[in-house]
Amino acid sequence: MIFGRAAGPAARTIGGMGSASGIESRRQIRKLPALLINQIAAGEVIERPASVVKELVENALDAGATRIEVDLEGGGVELVRVRDDGCGIWREELVLALSPHATSKIRDAEDLDRIVTMGFRGEALASITSVARVRVVSKPRGQSEAWEICGEGEDIAEPRPAAGAPGTLIEVRNLFFNTPARRKFLRTAPTEQGRCIEWLTDLAIAHASVGFIVRCDGRVRLETGPDQEPRQRVLALLGEELEGELIEVRADRFEDARGLTLWGLVGRPTIARATPKAQHVFLNGRAVRDRTIQHALKESYRGLVEPGRHPTAVLLIEMSPTAVDVNVHPAKLEVRFRDQSAVHQAVLHAVREALRKSDLTPPVSGRRHEAGAGLPGAGFPGAGGGGGPRVRHEEHVRPEALVDFLKRGPLPPPAAIRASLDELAPGDSPASMRRDAEPAQVEPEPDESLPSPRRADRVLQIHNSYLVTQDESGIVIIDQHALHERVMFERLAARVGREPLESQQLLSPASVHATRRQMERVEELQPLLDRCGIALRAMGPRTLGVESFPSLLFQRGVDPVEFMTELLEKAESEEFTPSDESALHEVLDMMACKAAIKAGDHMSEQEMDELLRLRESVDRSSSCPHGRPTSVRLSIEQLEKLFHRR
Ligand SMILES: Nc1ncnc2c1ncn2[C@@H]1O[C@H](COP(=O)(O)OP(=O)(O)OP(=O)(O)O)[C@@H](O)[C@H]1O
Ligand SMILES: [Mg+2]
């Protein structure tokens, strides 16, 4: 109704049908009736049954419940019932509990700056009552009697004695019974039920000490004991079988009021998803959607997952309530940090470190790790199926095929490898890259705990493309190009962080044809090119001359004209912002890709050894800068299974 009225004057003006006098069209300003006010307010907070579930469970948590029971019928549209063993509501406060702007959680504006409860606005129950039939039965702790109150729309009955256990039971029936337009927007019962379960899963993850039982139309859908450890709770809810796919993250930066502690489980790159929906971020027990944290997560996986894929994560963040404003979103889904960059840093650093310390080499598997497919328990709830690029390595590595190969494949004679050693021109070896590498002291220390190929182990090059070796856990198969690319990228990135790349002057400038748009962008590109050791000069309206070029690319025989043409094409895109770190990384990645050993290049034993040594010394060596894996592992257990030894 209200929308119909508001649209009136605008429609008249546009259609030219307004009365000439304007008097008939005059609309008086009136105070809205209380019910309508509440229904409008409810529109922001109560969108669907899942919102009711969220509000009621949050109230139970605020009441200090240790056990919360939830019953849903008809996807929650017909009934949402939440029973808790919390502090209860006193008889004389029952009417207030259903009234707007009445809360026991804050008193003044100062309290608003340090919110420690999930609720604080005193509007949820009033909003729900304005659009549904509500019954509250409560017996406060230490009281002998339970009292009940019913409300629907505007009508709130007097409290009356009832039977009930200590704590509170709230039933919400026939959601939107008096607002049919809103009811029409609801989806099917299974869909609405699914959304309720997603919220309940999130609330249960964030409150591991509280026991939850959720029944849908009488059948138990989710049950957790009280007093669980966060890890135990996450695995119980997301699926125990995910354990091997998750990496623990911790940070403790509580040195000042803006500090935070963080605990979480982040997914291996192989279980990254097509959407960020499988990222569950909680702040002080509240599920939040926060772009800063999403960005930090994305950054920490940069180069570990392919573009367009999103890491999976559960992050529980605790910080001082004074360091964050939770009063910025109607459903409290978004928050505002006082020090956004400190939060970004803390998350980025913690996740990056955890990933760095982990051996991310994916196992060889016939199965694709695609959006939870094959991972029972659906893994991260809310992730859905989803397409997106497939994890390419899974396509061509089948353990059976590899075992077949190892059983019958001809091994190159050692003499041939030795002979190629002698032919090795110094500039061709990955060892030569060490001239461009940073001094030893800034190399990241290899983490001793990670399995790595043993120096004395033999390395085998297969089809001039893959290296096969062993580590403590089994057989490691390496994509020579992808690994070399990653190694070079890391070295280049470290180098550029300190000084511009070493470059070489061309005897005469190499001319590159450029489009008008590319010519316009050259100036903007200049600082980036300087850092990369590339000097350009305009030689004509559409011609650029490459005057100097990175020594590394020279040594690896990369053609300056080809390279620059590709770079200029990249720079034409809207997303390429030369001043951004990501643009620099793109250029470095291009360099690494061009300079790296190609699939099909024969490698000497010395080169292979060198590459394996470098694998241990750089970060993120498990995947190339595009996020594709550089190595996969066939474990001894897998071998034993394949050969029917166990
Ligand atoms: N399960 C419960 N146990 C004990 N008290 C409750 C419970 N649910 C509601 N209350 C009481 O009713 C009041 C109103 O609840 P309501 O959810 O409407 O507001 P709120 O939680 O204070 O704020 P918000 O609107 O932000 O949720 C609460 O402040 C609390 O005192
Ligand atoms: Mg509330």
Side-chain angles (χ1 to χ4, degrees):
M1 275 310 284
I2 182 152
F3 295 120
R5 268 191 226 155
R12 273 191 305 278
T13 317
I14 294 164
M17 289 162 66
S19 79
S21 67
I23 292 170
E24 282 154 37
S25 67
R26 177 162 173 253
R27 290 279 184 261
Q28 269 183 313
I29 300 175
R30 292 189 202 103
K31 279 274 188 195
L32 292 175
L35 177 64
L36 193 51
I37 294 176
N38 284 348
Q39 287 176 338
I40 292 169
E44 295 223 296
V45 188
I46 306 300
E47 214 189 328
R48 49 190 357 112
S51 348
V52 174
V53 167
K54 169 185 175 284
E55 294 299 336
L56 298 188
V57 172
E58 287 188 349
N59 279 347
L61 291 164
D62 283 344
T66 61
R67 206 182 136 77
I68 297 175
E69 257 178 76
V70 180
D71 280 282
L72 303 175
E73 281 173 22
V77 183
E78 298 318 318
L79 170 72
V80 175
R81 182 190 296 125
V82 176
R83 188 195 302 269
D84 68 59
D85 60 356
C87 64
I89 309 172
W90 289 73
R91 174 192 181 268
E92 48 276 28
E93 290 182 356
L94 280 170
V95 174
L96 270 181
L98 298 191
S99 312
H101 318 303
T103 180
S104 57
K105 301 172 191 176
I106 57 166
R107 271 189 236 174
D108 50 35
E110 275 172 24
D111 287 347
L112 206 51
D113 290 336
R114 41 165 193 252
I115 288 163
V116 289
T117 45
M118 309 281 276
F120 54 88
R121 295 191 186 137
E123 65 177 9
L125 288 184
S127 295
I128 295 170
T129 309
S130 72
V131 292
R133 301 191 165 100
V134 178
R135 185 170 87 102
V136 181
V137 183
S138 197
K139 183 171 171 183
R141 277 186 201 141
Q143 295 294 297
S144 53
E145 285 180 339
W147 287 82
E148 171 187 293
I149 189 171
C150 293
E152 64 175 73
E154 252 176 322
D155 308 323
I156 298 178
E158 274 298 303
R160 57 178 188 213
T168 303
L169 173 141
I170 303 188
E171 279 179 357
V172 175
R173 290 183 188 272
N174 312 119
L175 184 62
F176 302 137
F177 78 98
N178 54 357
T179 46
R182 309 227 45 204
R183 204 177 163 108
K184 261 194 257 160
F185 279 100
L186 295 179
R187 311 294 279 272
T188 62
T191 306
E192 295 298 343
Q193 178 182 305
R195 295 193 177 172
C196 294
I197 298 288
E198 278 175 22
W199 261 111
L200 286 160
T201 307
D202 269 356
L203 286 158
I205 290 176
H207 300 271
S209 60
V210 179
F212 282 82
I213 176 158
V214 177
R215 284 176 293 256
C216 295
D217 300 307
R219 291 185 44 204
V220 175
R221 271 295 309 268
L222 192 154
E223 188 169 11
T224 63
D227 288 328
Q228 285 186 312
E229 287 296 315
R231 182 185 187 87
Q232 201 185 359
R233 175 63 61 95
V234 171
L235 291 174
L237 290 168
L238 301 188
E240 301 283 346
E241 65 288 340
L242 274 180
E243 183 154 29
E245 307 285 351
L246 301 174
I247 295 162
E248 192 157 312
V249 179
R250 275 175 195 283
D252 191 344
R253 294 193 172 192
F254 236 125
E255 66 276 5
D256 64 29
R258 295 181 186 197
L260 59 80
T261 61
L262 180 158
W263 177 88
L265 291 172
V266 296
R268 291 180 167 278
T270 41
I271 62 164
R273 295 287 170 83
T275 73
K277 274 178 87 185
Q279 293 173 358
H280 302 259
V281 179
F282 304 93
L283 177 75
N284 295 347
R286 195 190 293 286
V288 292
R289 280 188 319 227
D290 183 72
R291 292 169 69 106
T292 306
I293 296 174
Q294 268 185 13
H295 185 264
L297 261 173
K298 190 172 169 202
E299 273 300 296
S300 46
Y301 277 79
R302 190 211 281 264
L304 288 177
V305 299
E306 292 177 59
R309 308 288 292 172
H310 301 266
T312 52
V314 173
L315 293 182
L316 301 175
I317 302 171
E318 297 284 329
M319 62 199 303
S320 161
T322 58
V324 58
D325 186 358
V326 290
N327 187 25
V328 293
H329 184 270
K332 305 168 189 135
L333 281 175
E334 285 164 22
V335 294
R336 196 178 294 134
F337 297 110
R338 253 172 65 194
D339 190 343
Q340 196 173 339
S341 78
V343 174
H344 188 270
Q345 271 300 315
V347 173
L348 176 69
H349 187 260
V351 177
R352 204 179 252 176
E353 268 307 284
L355 292 171
R356 197 180 71 76
K357 287 196 182 125
S358 301
D359 174 16
L360 299 177
T361 309
V364 171
S365 152
R367 173 188 83 185
R368 290 165 194 274
H369 290 276
E370 179 58 19
L375 294 175
F380 290 82
R390 303 234 165 210
V391 178
R392 202 199 286 180
H393 74 279
E394 304 282 8
E395 278 165 19
H396 48 199
V397 186
R398 277 189 313 115
E400 300 82 354
L402 183 80
V403 171
D404 276 359
F405 178 84
L406 292 177
K407 279 197 290 190
R408 45 181 182 75
L411 301 183
I417 296 171
R418 230 172 292 125
S420 69
L421 223 178
D422 304 332
E423 290 162 18
L424 189 74
D428 282 346
S429 145
S432 70
M433 300 313 157
R434 273 177 294 166
R435 267 183 275 149
D436 260 275
E438 70 237 58
Q441 70 270 19
V442 291
E443 272 184 27
E445 272 297 304
D447 192 316
E448 294 303 329
S449 62
L450 300 188
S452 54
R454 290 167 294 203
R455 197 51 48 79
D457 288 335
R458 251 188 87 191
V459 194
L460 189 66
Q461 190 187 25
I462 289 168
H463 288 254
N464 283 343
S465 298
Y466 299 100
L467 309 186
V468 178
T469 185
Q470 65 172 334
D471 67 9
E472 291 138 32
S473 329
I475 297 176
V476 180
I477 306 150
I478 293 163
D479 177 328
Q480 65 188 40
H481 170 73
L483 176 59
H484 195 203
E485 184 181 346
R486 163 58 79 191
V487 164
M488 299 237 276
F489 175 83
E490 291 297 328
R491 294 303 174 103
L492 286 167
R495 178 75 177 247
V496 153
R498 296 194 306 273
E499 56 188 334
L501 294 184
E502 193 181 303
S503 67
Q504 219 163 300
Q505 197 87 22
L506 271 74
L507 288 176
S508 60
S511 64
V512 179
H513 180 74
T515 64
R516 185 195 313 218
R517 166 112 182 93
Q518 289 169 350
M519 293 298 288
E520 283 164 9
R521 284 211 98 176
V522 169
E523 200 177 321
E524 210 188 327
L525 277 175
Q526 208 53 61
L528 172 65
L529 297 177
D530 288 346
R531 292 183 78 184
C532 296
I534 299 171
L536 290 184
R537 177 163 59 91
M539 289 173 55
R542 294 285 170 82
T543 314
L544 290 165
V546 186
E547 295 190 311
S548 52
F549 200 53
S551 314
L552 166 78
L553 297 187
F554 258 132
Q555 284 167 16
R556 302 294 301 169
V558 178
D559 177 13
V561 176
E562 241 173 65
F563 184 87
M564 279 317 299
T565 308
E566 201 177 317
L567 200 160
L568 291 170
E569 271 167 24
K570 234 183 230 299
E572 255 182 317
S573 127
E574 289 293 322
E575 284 129 44
F576 191 92
T577 316
S579 54
D580 272 9
E581 214 48 9
S582 62
L584 173 68
H585 281 195
E586 245 184 271
V587 178
L588 295 182
D589 181 25
M590 256 180 81
M591 289 187 176
C593 183
K594 302 252 179 270
I597 289 167
K598 304 278 173 302
D601 285 353
H602 175 72
M603 287 177 75
S604 72
E605 201 171 326
Q606 191 198 11
E607 285 175 313
M608 294 191 286
D609 280 349
E610 185 58 21
L611 190 55
L612 291 186
R613 193 191 69 78
L614 291 167
R615 175 176 184 260
E616 290 169 55
S617 69
V618 300
D619 279 351
R620 297 153 191 265
S621 66
S622 65
S623 57
C624 78
H626 311 285
R628 292 193 293 271
T630 59
S631 333
V632 292
R633 180 183 293 109
L634 181 61
S635 69
I636 296 295
E637 292 91 81
Q638 282 175 297
L639 279 172
E640 284 172 348
K641 276 196 198 136
L642 287 165
F643 289 112
H644 300 220
R645 282 172 171 271
R646 43 150 100 186

